[in-house]
Amino acid sequence: MATGVDQAVGMSLVVFSLLLFTYYSVWVIILPFVDSDHILHKYFLPREYSVILPGIAAVILLLCIGAFIAVIMWKNRKPKKVD
């Protein structure tokens, strides 16, 4: 059973993910249809970043996955037999 701290951390991660998803969805889907002089635009970055930031996040994620696989393979390698 999860402790109270584990549940709080898990709930905070879920809430953060929902907020990030909502922010990004509004930024990418709704904001292009709003007038450029509307006050809503001051809460969001320029549209170019809607492609750049997820691209950078994807590259970092792939690098972390590659590093993790490299470390696991390095630890599990078998020493060569010398005959």
Short mmCIF file of all heavy atoms in Angstrom, two decimals, residues 7-77:
data_model
loop_
_atom_site.label_atom_id
_atom_site.label_comp_id
_atom_site.label_asym_id
_atom_site.label_seq_id
_atom_site.Cartn_x
_atom_site.Cartn_y
_atom_site.Cartn_z
N GLN A 7 1.23 9.03 -2.22
CA GLN A 7 -0.03 9.44 -2.82
C GLN A 7 -0.03 10.93 -3.13
O GLN A 7 -0.54 11.36 -4.16
CB GLN A 7 -1.20 9.09 -1.90
CG GLN A 7 -1.45 7.61 -1.80
CD GLN A 7 -2.57 7.27 -0.84
OE1 GLN A 7 -3.00 8.10 -0.06
NE2 GLN A 7 -3.04 6.03 -0.90
N ALA A 8 0.56 11.73 -2.25
CA ALA A 8 0.62 13.18 -2.48
C ALA A 8 1.51 13.49 -3.69
O ALA A 8 1.17 14.34 -4.51
CB ALA A 8 1.14 13.89 -1.23
N VAL A 9 2.63 12.82 -3.79
CA VAL A 9 3.52 13.02 -4.93
C VAL A 9 2.84 12.59 -6.22
O VAL A 9 2.89 13.29 -7.24
CB VAL A 9 4.86 12.27 -4.73
CG1 VAL A 9 5.68 12.25 -6.00
CG2 VAL A 9 5.65 12.90 -3.60
N GLY A 10 2.18 11.45 -6.19
CA GLY A 10 1.46 10.98 -7.37
C GLY A 10 0.35 11.92 -7.78
O GLY A 10 0.19 12.23 -8.97
N MET A 11 -0.39 12.43 -6.83
CA MET A 11 -1.47 13.36 -7.14
C MET A 11 -0.92 14.67 -7.68
O MET A 11 -1.49 15.25 -8.61
CB MET A 11 -2.33 13.61 -5.91
CG MET A 11 -3.53 14.49 -6.19
SD MET A 11 -4.64 13.84 -7.46
CE MET A 11 -5.35 12.47 -6.62
N SER A 12 0.20 15.13 -7.13
CA SER A 12 0.78 16.37 -7.65
C SER A 12 1.30 16.19 -9.07
O SER A 12 1.18 17.09 -9.90
CB SER A 12 1.90 16.87 -6.72
OG SER A 12 2.97 15.96 -6.70
N LEU A 13 1.84 15.01 -9.40
CA LEU A 13 2.27 14.74 -10.77
C LEU A 13 1.08 14.69 -11.73
O LEU A 13 1.17 15.20 -12.86
CB LEU A 13 3.05 13.43 -10.84
CG LEU A 13 4.46 13.46 -10.26
CD1 LEU A 13 5.04 12.06 -10.23
CD2 LEU A 13 5.35 14.38 -11.04
N VAL A 14 -0.02 14.11 -11.29
CA VAL A 14 -1.22 14.06 -12.12
C VAL A 14 -1.76 15.47 -12.36
O VAL A 14 -2.10 15.84 -13.49
CB VAL A 14 -2.29 13.15 -11.48
CG1 VAL A 14 -3.63 13.31 -12.17
CG2 VAL A 14 -1.85 11.70 -11.52
N VAL A 15 -1.83 16.28 -11.30
CA VAL A 15 -2.33 17.65 -11.43
C VAL A 15 -1.42 18.47 -12.34
O VAL A 15 -1.89 19.21 -13.21
CB VAL A 15 -2.48 18.30 -10.04
CG1 VAL A 15 -2.73 19.80 -10.15
CG2 VAL A 15 -3.61 17.64 -9.27
N PHE A 16 -0.11 18.34 -12.18
CA PHE A 16 0.84 19.06 -13.03
C PHE A 16 0.67 18.65 -14.49
O PHE A 16 0.67 19.49 -15.39
CB PHE A 16 2.28 18.80 -12.57
CG PHE A 16 3.31 19.40 -13.47
CD1 PHE A 16 3.53 20.77 -13.46
CD2 PHE A 16 4.04 18.60 -14.33
CE1 PHE A 16 4.48 21.33 -14.31
CE2 PHE A 16 4.99 19.15 -15.17
CZ PHE A 16 5.20 20.53 -15.16
N SER A 17 0.51 17.35 -14.74
CA SER A 17 0.33 16.87 -16.11
C SER A 17 -0.96 17.40 -16.72
O SER A 17 -0.98 17.79 -17.89
CB SER A 17 0.32 15.34 -16.14
OG SER A 17 1.55 14.83 -15.71
N LEU A 18 -2.03 17.43 -15.95
CA LEU A 18 -3.29 17.96 -16.45
C LEU A 18 -3.20 19.45 -16.75
O LEU A 18 -3.73 19.92 -17.77
CB LEU A 18 -4.42 17.69 -15.45
CG LEU A 18 -4.90 16.25 -15.38
CD1 LEU A 18 -5.90 16.08 -14.23
CD2 LEU A 18 -5.53 15.82 -16.68
N LEU A 19 -2.54 20.19 -15.88
CA LEU A 19 -2.36 21.62 -16.12
C LEU A 19 -1.51 21.87 -17.37
O LEU A 19 -1.84 22.73 -18.20
CB LEU A 19 -1.72 22.30 -14.91
CG LEU A 19 -2.62 22.49 -13.70
CD1 LEU A 19 -1.83 23.02 -12.53
CD2 LEU A 19 -3.77 23.43 -14.03
N LEU A 20 -0.44 21.13 -17.51
CA LEU A 20 0.42 21.27 -18.68
C LEU A 20 -0.33 20.90 -19.97
O LEU A 20 -0.22 21.60 -20.97
CB LEU A 20 1.67 20.41 -18.52
CG LEU A 20 2.75 20.55 -19.57
CD1 LEU A 20 3.34 21.96 -19.50
CD2 LEU A 20 3.84 19.53 -19.36
N PHE A 21 -1.09 19.82 -19.93
CA PHE A 21 -1.87 19.41 -21.10
C PHE A 21 -2.91 20.47 -21.46
O PHE A 21 -3.09 20.80 -22.63
CB PHE A 21 -2.55 18.07 -20.83
CG PHE A 21 -3.45 17.63 -21.94
CD1 PHE A 21 -2.93 17.11 -23.10
CD2 PHE A 21 -4.83 17.74 -21.83
CE1 PHE A 21 -3.75 16.70 -24.14
CE2 PHE A 21 -5.66 17.35 -22.85
CZ PHE A 21 -5.13 16.82 -24.01
N THR A 22 -3.59 21.01 -20.46
CA THR A 22 -4.60 22.04 -20.71
C THR A 22 -3.97 23.30 -21.28
O THR A 22 -4.48 23.88 -22.25
CB THR A 22 -5.36 22.36 -19.41
OG1 THR A 22 -5.92 21.16 -18.89
CG2 THR A 22 -6.46 23.36 -19.65
N TYR A 23 -2.87 23.74 -20.69
CA TYR A 23 -2.17 24.93 -21.17
C TYR A 23 -1.73 24.74 -22.62
O TYR A 23 -1.96 25.61 -23.47
CB TYR A 23 -0.96 25.21 -20.28
CG TYR A 23 -0.15 26.42 -20.69
CD1 TYR A 23 -0.50 27.69 -20.26
CD2 TYR A 23 0.97 26.29 -21.50
CE1 TYR A 23 0.24 28.80 -20.63
CE2 TYR A 23 1.72 27.38 -21.88
CZ TYR A 23 1.35 28.64 -21.43
OH TYR A 23 2.09 29.73 -21.81
N TYR A 24 -1.10 23.62 -22.92
CA TYR A 24 -0.60 23.37 -24.28
C TYR A 24 -1.75 23.25 -25.27
O TYR A 24 -1.66 23.74 -26.41
CB TYR A 24 0.27 22.12 -24.30
CG TYR A 24 0.97 21.91 -25.62
CD1 TYR A 24 2.08 22.67 -25.94
CD2 TYR A 24 0.50 20.98 -26.53
CE1 TYR A 24 2.72 22.50 -27.16
CE2 TYR A 24 1.14 20.81 -27.74
CZ TYR A 24 2.24 21.57 -28.06
OH TYR A 24 2.87 21.40 -29.26
N SER A 25 -2.84 22.59 -24.86
CA SER A 25 -3.99 22.45 -25.76
C SER A 25 -4.61 23.79 -26.09
O SER A 25 -4.94 24.05 -27.25
CB SER A 25 -5.03 21.53 -25.12
OG SER A 25 -4.50 20.24 -24.95
N VAL A 26 -4.77 24.64 -25.10
CA VAL A 26 -5.32 25.97 -25.35
C VAL A 26 -4.37 26.76 -26.23
O VAL A 26 -4.79 27.45 -27.17
CB VAL A 26 -5.59 26.71 -24.02
CG1 VAL A 26 -5.88 28.18 -24.25
CG2 VAL A 26 -6.72 26.06 -23.27
N TRP A 27 -3.09 26.65 -25.97
CA TRP A 27 -2.06 27.38 -26.72
C TRP A 27 -2.06 26.99 -28.19
O TRP A 27 -1.98 27.82 -29.09
CB TRP A 27 -0.72 27.10 -26.08
CG TRP A 27 0.46 27.84 -26.61
CD1 TRP A 27 0.47 29.01 -27.29
CD2 TRP A 27 1.82 27.44 -26.49
NE1 TRP A 27 1.76 29.36 -27.58
CE2 TRP A 27 2.61 28.42 -27.10
CE3 TRP A 27 2.45 26.35 -25.90
CZ2 TRP A 27 3.99 28.34 -27.15
CZ3 TRP A 27 3.82 26.27 -25.95
CH2 TRP A 27 4.58 27.26 -26.56
N VAL A 28 -2.17 25.68 -28.48
CA VAL A 28 -2.02 25.19 -29.85
C VAL A 28 -3.36 25.13 -30.59
O VAL A 28 -3.41 25.44 -31.78
CB VAL A 28 -1.35 23.80 -29.83
CG1 VAL A 28 -1.34 23.17 -31.20
CG2 VAL A 28 0.06 23.92 -29.30
N ILE A 29 -4.43 24.77 -29.90
CA ILE A 29 -5.70 24.55 -30.59
C ILE A 29 -6.60 25.78 -30.60
O ILE A 29 -7.18 26.12 -31.63
CB ILE A 29 -6.43 23.34 -29.95
CG1 ILE A 29 -5.60 22.08 -30.14
CG2 ILE A 29 -7.81 23.17 -30.56
CD1 ILE A 29 -6.10 20.89 -29.38
N ILE A 30 -6.71 26.46 -29.49
CA ILE A 30 -7.68 27.55 -29.37
C ILE A 30 -7.08 28.90 -29.73
O ILE A 30 -7.71 29.72 -30.40
CB ILE A 30 -8.29 27.57 -27.96
CG1 ILE A 30 -9.07 26.28 -27.73
CG2 ILE A 30 -9.17 28.79 -27.74
CD1 ILE A 30 -9.57 26.10 -26.34
N LEU A 31 -5.86 29.16 -29.30
CA LEU A 31 -5.26 30.48 -29.46
C LEU A 31 -5.14 30.95 -30.91
O LEU A 31 -5.29 32.16 -31.15
CB LEU A 31 -3.90 30.52 -28.77
CG LEU A 31 -3.45 31.88 -28.27
CD1 LEU A 31 -4.43 32.45 -27.27
CD2 LEU A 31 -2.09 31.78 -27.66
N PRO A 32 -4.89 30.09 -31.89
CA PRO A 32 -4.83 30.60 -33.27
C PRO A 32 -6.14 31.23 -33.76
O PRO A 32 -6.13 32.03 -34.68
CB PRO A 32 -4.48 29.36 -34.09
CG PRO A 32 -3.77 28.47 -33.15
CD PRO A 32 -4.41 28.71 -31.83
N PHE A 33 -7.26 30.89 -33.15
CA PHE A 33 -8.54 31.43 -33.56
C PHE A 33 -8.95 32.68 -32.79
O PHE A 33 -10.00 33.25 -33.07
CB PHE A 33 -9.63 30.35 -33.41
CG PHE A 33 -9.37 29.14 -34.26
CD1 PHE A 33 -8.95 27.95 -33.68
CD2 PHE A 33 -9.50 29.20 -35.63
CE1 PHE A 33 -8.70 26.85 -34.46
CE2 PHE A 33 -9.25 28.10 -36.42
CZ PHE A 33 -8.85 26.92 -35.84
N VAL A 34 -8.13 33.10 -31.84
CA VAL A 34 -8.40 34.29 -31.05
C VAL A 34 -7.65 35.46 -31.69
O VAL A 34 -6.53 35.30 -32.17
CB VAL A 34 -7.96 34.09 -29.58
CG1 VAL A 34 -8.18 35.33 -28.75
CG2 VAL A 34 -8.69 32.90 -28.97
N ASP A 35 -8.27 36.63 -31.69
CA ASP A 35 -7.62 37.82 -32.25
C ASP A 35 -6.28 38.07 -31.59
O ASP A 35 -6.11 37.85 -30.38
CB ASP A 35 -8.51 39.05 -32.06
CG ASP A 35 -9.76 39.00 -32.91
OD1 ASP A 35 -9.70 38.34 -33.96
OD2 ASP A 35 -10.77 39.62 -32.52
N SER A 36 -5.31 38.53 -32.38
CA SER A 36 -3.96 38.71 -31.86
C SER A 36 -3.85 39.84 -30.84
O SER A 36 -2.90 39.89 -30.07
CB SER A 36 -2.98 38.95 -33.00
OG SER A 36 -3.36 40.12 -33.70
N ASP A 37 -4.82 40.74 -30.79
CA ASP A 37 -4.77 41.82 -29.80
C ASP A 37 -5.56 41.49 -28.54
O ASP A 37 -5.69 42.33 -27.65
CB ASP A 37 -5.27 43.13 -30.42
CG ASP A 37 -6.69 43.02 -30.95
OD1 ASP A 37 -7.18 41.88 -31.06
OD2 ASP A 37 -7.29 44.08 -31.24
N HIS A 38 -6.06 40.27 -28.44
CA HIS A 38 -6.81 39.86 -27.25
C HIS A 38 -5.87 39.71 -26.06
O HIS A 38 -4.70 39.35 -26.22
CB HIS A 38 -7.54 38.54 -27.53
CG HIS A 38 -8.60 38.22 -26.53
ND1 HIS A 38 -8.35 37.55 -25.37
CD2 HIS A 38 -9.93 38.50 -26.53
CE1 HIS A 38 -9.46 37.42 -24.68
NE2 HIS A 38 -10.46 37.98 -25.39
N ILE A 39 -6.38 39.94 -24.86
CA ILE A 39 -5.56 39.89 -23.65
C ILE A 39 -5.05 38.48 -23.36
O ILE A 39 -4.05 38.30 -22.66
CB ILE A 39 -6.35 40.47 -22.46
CG1 ILE A 39 -5.42 40.76 -21.30
CG2 ILE A 39 -7.45 39.52 -22.02
CD1 ILE A 39 -6.00 41.66 -20.26
N LEU A 40 -5.73 37.47 -23.89
CA LEU A 40 -5.34 36.08 -23.65
C LEU A 40 -3.94 35.78 -24.20
O LEU A 40 -3.23 34.94 -23.65
CB LEU A 40 -6.37 35.15 -24.30
CG LEU A 40 -6.26 33.67 -24.03
CD1 LEU A 40 -6.44 33.40 -22.54
CD2 LEU A 40 -7.29 32.92 -24.83
N HIS A 41 -3.52 36.48 -25.23
CA HIS A 41 -2.22 36.23 -25.85
C HIS A 41 -1.04 36.58 -24.95
O HIS A 41 0.06 36.05 -25.14
CB HIS A 41 -2.09 37.00 -27.17
CG HIS A 41 -2.78 36.33 -28.30
ND1 HIS A 41 -2.22 35.30 -29.00
CD2 HIS A 41 -4.00 36.54 -28.86
CE1 HIS A 41 -3.04 34.90 -29.95
NE2 HIS A 41 -4.14 35.64 -29.88
N LYS A 42 -1.24 37.42 -23.96
CA LYS A 42 -0.11 37.79 -23.11
C LYS A 42 0.28 36.68 -22.13
O LYS A 42 1.34 36.73 -21.53
CB LYS A 42 -0.38 39.10 -22.36
CG LYS A 42 -1.32 38.98 -21.20
CD LYS A 42 -1.40 40.30 -20.46
CE LYS A 42 -2.15 40.12 -19.16
NZ LYS A 42 -2.11 41.29 -18.34
N TYR A 43 -0.56 35.67 -21.99
CA TYR A 43 -0.26 34.56 -21.08
C TYR A 43 0.45 33.40 -21.76
O TYR A 43 0.76 32.39 -21.12
CB TYR A 43 -1.56 34.04 -20.44
CG TYR A 43 -2.24 35.08 -19.58
CD1 TYR A 43 -3.43 35.66 -19.97
CD2 TYR A 43 -1.67 35.48 -18.39
CE1 TYR A 43 -4.05 36.60 -19.20
CE2 TYR A 43 -2.27 36.43 -17.60
CZ TYR A 43 -3.47 36.98 -18.01
OH TYR A 43 -4.08 37.93 -17.24
N PHE A 44 0.70 33.52 -23.06
CA PHE A 44 1.31 32.42 -23.80
C PHE A 44 2.55 32.92 -24.54
O PHE A 44 2.64 34.09 -24.91
CB PHE A 44 0.31 31.86 -24.82
CG PHE A 44 -0.88 31.21 -24.18
CD1 PHE A 44 -2.04 31.94 -23.93
CD2 PHE A 44 -0.85 29.88 -23.82
CE1 PHE A 44 -3.13 31.35 -23.34
CE2 PHE A 44 -1.94 29.29 -23.23
CZ PHE A 44 -3.09 30.02 -22.99
N LEU A 45 3.47 31.99 -24.77
CA LEU A 45 4.66 32.29 -25.56
C LEU A 45 4.29 32.41 -27.03
O LEU A 45 3.19 32.01 -27.43
CB LEU A 45 5.68 31.17 -25.37
CG LEU A 45 6.31 31.03 -24.00
CD1 LEU A 45 7.12 29.74 -23.93
CD2 LEU A 45 7.18 32.21 -23.68
N PRO A 46 5.19 32.94 -27.85
CA PRO A 46 4.91 32.97 -29.30
C PRO A 46 4.70 31.55 -29.85
O PRO A 46 5.17 30.56 -29.29
CB PRO A 46 6.18 33.59 -29.88
CG PRO A 46 6.77 34.37 -28.77
CD PRO A 46 6.42 33.64 -27.51
N ARG A 47 3.98 31.46 -30.97
CA ARG A 47 3.60 30.17 -31.53
C ARG A 47 4.77 29.31 -31.95
O ARG A 47 4.66 28.09 -32.00
CB ARG A 47 2.67 30.39 -32.71
CG ARG A 47 1.27 30.10 -32.35
CD ARG A 47 0.36 30.17 -33.54
NE ARG A 47 -0.73 31.05 -33.15
CZ ARG A 47 -1.16 32.06 -33.85
NH1 ARG A 47 -0.63 32.33 -35.00
NH2 ARG A 47 -2.14 32.80 -33.40
N GLU A 48 5.90 29.90 -32.28
CA GLU A 48 7.06 29.11 -32.70
C GLU A 48 7.49 28.14 -31.60
O GLU A 48 7.97 27.04 -31.86
CB GLU A 48 8.25 30.00 -33.05
CG GLU A 48 8.00 30.93 -34.21
CD GLU A 48 7.31 32.22 -33.81
OE1 GLU A 48 7.48 32.67 -32.67
OE2 GLU A 48 6.59 32.77 -34.65
N TYR A 49 7.34 28.57 -30.36
CA TYR A 49 7.75 27.73 -29.24
C TYR A 49 6.85 26.52 -29.05
O TYR A 49 7.23 25.56 -28.39
CB TYR A 49 7.79 28.54 -27.95
CG TYR A 49 8.89 29.56 -27.93
CD1 TYR A 49 8.63 30.92 -28.04
CD2 TYR A 49 10.21 29.17 -27.80
CE1 TYR A 49 9.64 31.85 -28.02
CE2 TYR A 49 11.23 30.09 -27.78
CZ TYR A 49 10.94 31.43 -27.89
OH TYR A 49 11.94 32.35 -27.88
N SER A 50 5.65 26.53 -29.63
CA SER A 50 4.77 25.38 -29.50
C SER A 50 5.30 24.17 -30.25
O SER A 50 4.87 23.05 -30.01
CB SER A 50 3.36 25.73 -29.98
OG SER A 50 3.35 25.96 -31.36
N VAL A 51 6.23 24.39 -31.17
CA VAL A 51 6.87 23.29 -31.88
C VAL A 51 8.27 23.04 -31.31
O VAL A 51 8.69 21.89 -31.15
CB VAL A 51 6.96 23.60 -33.39
CG1 VAL A 51 7.72 22.53 -34.13
CG2 VAL A 51 5.57 23.78 -33.96
N ILE A 52 8.96 24.11 -30.97
CA ILE A 52 10.34 24.00 -30.51
C ILE A 52 10.43 23.30 -29.14
O ILE A 52 11.24 22.38 -28.95
CB ILE A 52 11.01 25.39 -30.45
CG1 ILE A 52 11.13 25.96 -31.86
CG2 ILE A 52 12.36 25.33 -29.76
CD1 ILE A 52 11.55 27.41 -31.89
N LEU A 53 9.60 23.71 -28.19
CA LEU A 53 9.69 23.15 -26.84
C LEU A 53 9.38 21.65 -26.78
O LEU A 53 10.13 20.89 -26.15
CB LEU A 53 8.79 23.93 -25.88
CG LEU A 53 9.23 25.37 -25.60
CD1 LEU A 53 8.24 26.07 -24.70
CD2 LEU A 53 10.62 25.40 -25.00
N PRO A 54 8.31 21.16 -27.42
CA PRO A 54 8.12 19.70 -27.42
C PRO A 54 9.22 18.96 -28.17
O PRO A 54 9.56 17.84 -27.81
CB PRO A 54 6.76 19.51 -28.12
CG PRO A 54 6.06 20.79 -27.92
CD PRO A 54 7.12 21.84 -27.94
N GLY A 55 9.79 19.59 -29.20
CA GLY A 55 10.90 18.95 -29.91
C GLY A 55 12.12 18.79 -29.01
O GLY A 55 12.76 17.73 -29.00
N ILE A 56 12.43 19.84 -28.26
CA ILE A 56 13.55 19.76 -27.32
C ILE A 56 13.27 18.73 -26.23
O ILE A 56 14.15 17.95 -25.86
CB ILE A 56 13.83 21.15 -26.71
CG1 ILE A 56 14.40 22.08 -27.79
CG2 ILE A 56 14.78 21.06 -25.53
CD1 ILE A 56 14.52 23.52 -27.35
N ALA A 57 12.03 18.71 -25.74
CA ALA A 57 11.66 17.73 -24.72
C ALA A 57 11.79 16.30 -25.25
O ALA A 57 12.25 15.40 -24.54
CB ALA A 57 10.24 17.98 -24.23
N ALA A 58 11.41 16.09 -26.52
CA ALA A 58 11.53 14.76 -27.12
C ALA A 58 12.99 14.34 -27.27
O ALA A 58 13.34 13.18 -27.00
CB ALA A 58 10.83 14.74 -28.48
N VAL A 59 13.85 15.28 -27.67
CA VAL A 59 15.27 14.96 -27.80
C VAL A 59 15.87 14.61 -26.44
O VAL A 59 16.62 13.64 -26.31
CB VAL A 59 16.02 16.13 -28.46
CG1 VAL A 59 17.52 15.96 -28.35
CG2 VAL A 59 15.62 16.27 -29.91
N ILE A 60 15.52 15.38 -25.41
CA ILE A 60 16.03 15.10 -24.06
C ILE A 60 15.52 13.75 -23.58
O ILE A 60 16.27 12.96 -22.98
CB ILE A 60 15.64 16.23 -23.10
CG1 ILE A 60 16.42 17.50 -23.45
CG2 ILE A 60 15.89 15.83 -21.65
CD1 ILE A 60 15.98 18.73 -22.69
N LEU A 61 14.25 13.45 -23.84
CA LEU A 61 13.69 12.16 -23.44
C LEU A 61 14.41 11.01 -24.13
O LEU A 61 14.77 10.01 -23.49
CB LEU A 61 12.20 12.11 -23.76
CG LEU A 61 11.49 10.80 -23.44
CD1 LEU A 61 11.45 10.55 -21.94
CD2 LEU A 61 10.10 10.79 -24.03
N LEU A 62 14.64 11.14 -25.43
CA LEU A 62 15.36 10.09 -26.15
C LEU A 62 16.79 9.93 -25.66
O LEU A 62 17.31 8.81 -25.58
CB LEU A 62 15.33 10.37 -27.65
CG LEU A 62 13.96 10.20 -28.32
CD1 LEU A 62 14.03 10.65 -29.77
CD2 LEU A 62 13.49 8.77 -28.21
N LEU A 63 17.45 11.04 -25.33
CA LEU A 63 18.81 10.96 -24.78
C LEU A 63 18.82 10.25 -23.43
O LEU A 63 19.71 9.43 -23.16
CB LEU A 63 19.41 12.35 -24.65
CG LEU A 63 19.85 13.01 -25.95
CD1 LEU A 63 20.28 14.45 -25.69
CD2 LEU A 63 20.97 12.23 -26.59
N CYS A 64 17.83 10.53 -22.59
CA CYS A 64 17.76 9.87 -21.28
C CYS A 64 17.48 8.38 -21.44
O CYS A 64 18.07 7.55 -20.73
CB CYS A 64 16.68 10.52 -20.42
SG CYS A 64 17.11 12.17 -19.86
N ILE A 65 16.59 8.03 -22.35
CA ILE A 65 16.30 6.62 -22.59
C ILE A 65 17.54 5.91 -23.13
O ILE A 65 17.88 4.80 -22.70
CB ILE A 65 15.11 6.46 -23.55
CG1 ILE A 65 13.82 6.91 -22.87
CG2 ILE A 65 14.98 5.03 -24.05
CD1 ILE A 65 12.63 7.00 -23.78
N GLY A 66 18.25 6.54 -24.06
CA GLY A 66 19.47 5.95 -24.60
C GLY A 66 20.54 5.79 -23.54
O GLY A 66 21.23 4.76 -23.49
N ALA A 67 20.69 6.79 -22.68
CA ALA A 67 21.68 6.69 -21.60
C ALA A 67 21.31 5.58 -20.62
O ALA A 67 22.18 4.83 -20.16
CB ALA A 67 21.79 8.03 -20.87
N PHE A 68 20.03 5.46 -20.31
CA PHE A 68 19.57 4.40 -19.41
C PHE A 68 19.87 3.03 -20.00
O PHE A 68 20.39 2.14 -19.32
CB PHE A 68 18.08 4.56 -19.14
CG PHE A 68 17.49 3.45 -18.31
CD1 PHE A 68 17.73 3.41 -16.95
CD2 PHE A 68 16.73 2.47 -18.90
CE1 PHE A 68 17.19 2.39 -16.18
CE2 PHE A 68 16.19 1.45 -18.14
CZ PHE A 68 16.42 1.40 -16.78
N ILE A 69 19.56 2.84 -21.28
CA ILE A 69 19.82 1.56 -21.93
C ILE A 69 21.32 1.28 -21.97
O ILE A 69 21.76 0.15 -21.75
CB ILE A 69 19.20 1.55 -23.34
CG1 ILE A 69 17.69 1.52 -23.22
CG2 ILE A 69 19.71 0.36 -24.16
CD1 ILE A 69 16.96 1.68 -24.54
N ALA A 70 22.12 2.31 -22.24
CA ALA A 70 23.58 2.12 -22.28
C ALA A 70 24.11 1.70 -20.91
O ALA A 70 24.96 0.81 -20.81
CB ALA A 70 24.26 3.40 -22.74
N VAL A 71 23.62 2.32 -19.85
CA VAL A 71 24.08 1.96 -18.50
C VAL A 71 23.67 0.53 -18.15
O VAL A 71 24.46 -0.24 -17.60
CB VAL A 71 23.52 2.97 -17.46
CG1 VAL A 71 23.69 2.46 -16.04
CG2 VAL A 71 24.18 4.31 -17.63
N ILE A 72 22.44 0.15 -18.47
CA ILE A 72 21.99 -1.21 -18.19
C ILE A 72 22.80 -2.23 -18.98
O ILE A 72 23.21 -3.27 -18.44
CB ILE A 72 20.48 -1.35 -18.50
CG1 ILE A 72 19.65 -0.45 -17.59
CG2 ILE A 72 20.02 -2.79 -18.39
CD1 ILE A 72 19.81 -0.74 -16.12
N MET A 73 23.06 -1.95 -20.24
CA MET A 73 23.85 -2.87 -21.04
C MET A 73 25.29 -2.95 -20.53
O MET A 73 25.91 -4.02 -20.54
CB MET A 73 23.83 -2.45 -22.51
CG MET A 73 22.48 -2.68 -23.17
SD MET A 73 22.42 -2.14 -24.88
CE MET A 73 23.57 -3.26 -25.64
N TRP A 74 25.82 -1.82 -20.07
CA TRP A 74 27.19 -1.81 -19.55
C TRP A 74 27.28 -2.63 -18.27
O TRP A 74 28.23 -3.38 -18.07
CB TRP A 74 27.63 -0.37 -19.30
CG TRP A 74 29.04 -0.26 -18.84
CD1 TRP A 74 29.48 -0.19 -17.56
CD2 TRP A 74 30.20 -0.22 -19.66
NE1 TRP A 74 30.83 -0.11 -17.52
CE2 TRP A 74 31.31 -0.13 -18.80
CE3 TRP A 74 30.40 -0.27 -21.02
CZ2 TRP A 74 32.61 -0.07 -19.28
CZ3 TRP A 74 31.69 -0.21 -21.49
CH2 TRP A 74 32.78 -0.11 -20.62
N LYS A 75 26.28 -2.52 -17.42
CA LYS A 75 26.30 -3.27 -16.15
C LYS A 75 26.08 -4.77 -16.36
O LYS A 75 26.57 -5.58 -15.59
CB LYS A 75 25.23 -2.74 -15.20
CG LYS A 75 25.58 -1.41 -14.59
CD LYS A 75 24.53 -0.98 -13.60
CE LYS A 75 24.91 0.33 -12.95
NZ LYS A 75 23.90 0.78 -11.98
N ASN A 76 25.32 -5.14 -17.39
CA ASN A 76 24.98 -6.54 -17.60
C ASN A 76 25.88 -7.25 -18.60
O ASN A 76 25.62 -8.39 -18.96
CB ASN A 76 23.53 -6.66 -18.10
CG ASN A 76 22.55 -6.32 -17.01
OD1 ASN A 76 22.84 -6.42 -15.83
ND2 ASN A 76 21.37 -5.89 -17.42
N ARG A 77 26.95 -6.59 -19.01
CA ARG A 77 27.82 -7.25 -19.99
C ARG A 77 28.59 -8.38 -19.30
O ARG A 77 28.92 -8.32 -18.11
CB ARG A 77 28.78 -6.26 -20.63
CG ARG A 77 29.80 -5.69 -19.69
CD ARG A 77 30.61 -4.61 -20.38
NE ARG A 77 31.40 -3.94 -19.39
CZ ARG A 77 32.71 -4.09 -19.24
NH1 ARG A 77 33.36 -4.90 -20.04
NH2 ARG A 77 33.35 -3.46 -18.29
#
